[in-house]
Amino acid sequence: MSDPHASAGSDTAVDENRLEELIIEAQTALPVELPALANRCAAALGLDTALIYLADLQQRLLIPLDETFEPLPVDGSSAGWAYRTVSPRVVDADDGLIVWMPLIDCAERLGVLAVRTSSLDGARMRRSRILAHLFAMLITSKRTYSDWLAARTRTATMTLPAEMLRAFLPPRTVGSGRCVSTAVLEPAYDIAGDAFDHSVVKNVLNTMILDSMGHDLASGLTASVAMAAARNARRGGGSDLTEIVRSVDQAIAQWLPDQFCTGVLCRLDAMTGELRWVNCGHPPPLLIRAERVLDGALDSTPQPPIGLAGQLAAPARQVHETTLEPGDCVLLYTDGVVEARDADGAEFGLDRFTDFIIRFSAAGQRPAEVLRLLINAIVDHQRHRLRDDATILLFEWHPH
């Protein structure tokens, strides 16, 4: 009679060897080889096939990496439902079932994985989830250097200023268990002066929004230098907002003396809820609490735009402080958001902007989905012809 414990140990060894082989192959695979690799991994896990879809820049389409398949709409498809809600969706197919698994890197939505299987039980569901985790990590690591992955998720030709600026932008969403920051910007293929930045270090969330003078390569370069200078100061050990803004001021004054930008820099302590911010000639941040905007809560004395402080011999930047309450949301935005006009000249407006955020957040939508819907509404409002860049950054504090 065979030893059941020996049999179990042997099966475990086989599984570990197979897993090791797949991981090694995944590490060395070129991005263009990911579609075939996904199918091999699915077969090794007892599934039929797996197809990777990535969201396009505007998050309106889910584009398959296998070029023989057609894109799917984010709105109005089962794949899009999984992407929007960050939840699995199981649907019937001609030859079995399709499990739509969201592809997520930390808090960032990448796309979905379509797993085909003849039947579904707890083990196959778990393996589908493992497969989605694996390919989310692979895509995140490989897209930083892959022209093919970048081109695959585009639906239009990108301008040179936009190409340069997007190279500096962080992921759309970052976060931890206590706070999440998410951002969107349009026009996706023709941005120049707007930018955003956010990062989480231990229990501190740093966020920044910028609006550079003009709409050309120099504008994009200004925003890029500002982001690089802020990151350089933070990564060099700078923890004081005054020092970070001074570094950005000096960088622009030195390298781009004819340029400037407005901006807001924030620092949130995710343990205590302490929020510190500096406003450099920019529209004030908005604080949303208990489904309403607290008028003037984050207003502050006007300060010169970034890059002009030295020329104007301004005093040290003023840092403002407040303490958030659990569930609070802070909105940063550029003027292109509220000044977007329709064909009749009607502005999108601040009231419509904040009401949209509040209504969809109250309906249970995740922050990233709220901003996706909002930026699409703003673009539609202007019939896809934005007169100015429009950028929105929202961060939430959920300590519990």
Side-chain angles (χ1 to χ4, degrees):
M1 181 179 294
S2 61
D3 183 350
H5 297 291
S7 175
S10 175
D11 289 344
T12 301
V14 170
D15 290 342
E16 290 178 352
N17 289 336
R18 182 178 298 174
L19 179 61
E20 182 180 20
E21 291 172 0
L22 291 173
I23 291 175
I24 291 173
E25 185 178 359
Q27 288 178 328
T28 58
L30 294 173
V32 73
E33 296 171 334
L34 290 180
L37 176 62
N39 283 327
R40 288 198 297 274
C41 288
L45 291 173
L47 306 167
D48 294 343
T49 62
L51 179 59
I52 303 165
Y53 287 79
L54 297 183
D56 76 314
L57 284 181
Q58 296 174 298
Q59 300 183 82
R60 290 178 180 262
L61 294 173
L62 292 166
I63 300 175
L65 292 193
D66 187 330
E67 298 176 351
T68 63
F69 288 79
E70 293 296 320
L72 299 172
V74 170
D75 295 300
S77 69
S78 295
W81 187 93
Y83 177 81
R84 299 192 312 270
T85 63
V86 194
S87 302
R89 183 80 179 257
V90 181
V91 298
D92 291 324
D94 293 338
D95 51 352
L97 300 170
I98 298 178
V99 183
W100 293 102
M101 297 295 303
L103 294 172
I104 314 161
D105 174 46
C106 190
E108 169 79 340
R109 301 183 299 181
L110 305 173
V112 294
L113 184 70
V115 180
R116 285 185 174 268
T117 179
S118 57
S119 61
L120 189 62
D121 54 19
R124 288 185 176 87
M125 193 69 179
R126 185 170 59 254
R127 292 169 188 171
S128 298
R129 188 175 292 110
I130 290 171
L131 203 58
H133 289 321
L134 172 62
F135 278 90
M137 289 189 290
L138 289 174
I139 291 162
T140 300
S141 66
K142 296 178 186 296
R143 68 176 178 172
T144 57
Y145 63 82
S146 173
D147 288 344
W148 179 74
L149 281 176
R152 190 73 188 130
T153 56
R154 297 181 182 183
T155 60
T157 302
M158 184 171 290
T159 64
L160 177 58
E163 189 77 61
M164 179 186 66
L165 192 53
R166 282 200 172 275
F168 280 87
L169 292 178
R172 280 187 292 257
T173 307
V174 301
S176 66
R178 296 177 179 272
C179 60
V180 173
S181 176
T182 187
V184 288
L185 75 169
E186 285 281 356
Y189 299 93
D190 193 29
I191 53 169
D194 279 14
F196 66 87
D197 194 19
H198 45 202
S199 69
V200 178
V201 180
K202 295 183 179 179
N203 292 312
V204 174
L205 169 67
N206 294 286
T207 64
M208 177 170 66
I209 195 166
L210 299 167
D211 186 355
S212 300
M213 176 189 70
H215 192 89
D216 52 22
L217 189 63
S219 304
L221 184 59
T222 303
S224 300
V225 169
M227 284 190 288
R231 291 171 185 170
N232 184 250
R234 294 198 309 262
R235 295 168 184 175
S239 59
D240 184 80
L241 276 179
T242 303
E243 292 299 322
I244 294 174
V245 179
R246 180 181 293 118
S247 297
V248 181
D249 268 325
Q250 291 174 347
I252 294 180
Q254 178 181 357
W255 299 107
L256 298 161
D258 296 328
Q259 294 292 120
F260 67 88
C261 60
T262 67
V264 177
L265 289 81
C266 300
R267 172 161 291 191
L268 172 66
D269 185 324
M271 295 295 291
T272 66
E274 180 189 63
L275 174 66
R276 306 176 78 240
W277 77 97
V278 177
N279 189 335
C280 306
H282 199 81
L286 301 175
L287 176 59
I288 299 177
R289 175 176 296 162
E291 299 182 12
R292 69 184 185 91
V293 178
L294 300 188
D295 292 335
L298 302 182
D299 288 358
S300 57
T301 304
Q303 299 186 63
I306 300 171
L308 292 183
Q311 300 175 32
L312 298 175
R317 296 285 189 178
Q318 290 182 316
V319 178
H320 304 273
E321 298 183 11
T322 191
T323 301
L324 300 184
E325 294 184 3
D328 279 356
C329 299
V330 176
L331 271 174
L332 311 179
Y333 64 97
T334 60
D335 54 14
V337 172
V338 296
E339 294 176 2
R341 296 178 181 273
D342 63 14
D344 298 324
E347 286 189 347
F348 195 82
L350 186 61
D351 289 343
R352 189 187 313 197
F353 168 55
T354 54
D355 180 65
F356 194 106
I357 297 278
I358 292 169
R359 284 190 296 108
F360 280 89
S361 297
Q365 298 285 6
R366 294 169 179 264
E369 180 61 13
V370 172
L371 291 200
R372 185 190 76 85
L373 293 168
L374 174 57
I375 199 68
N376 286 342
I378 292 170
V379 171
D380 292 343
H381 183 76
Q382 286 200 269
R383 298 185 178 182
H384 297 259
R385 294 183 179 181
L386 294 181
R387 297 177 177 86
D388 191 11
D389 293 350
T391 304
I392 312 164
L393 185 147
L394 178 152
F395 61 89
E396 289 187 333
W397 184 51
H398 289 285
H400 307 303

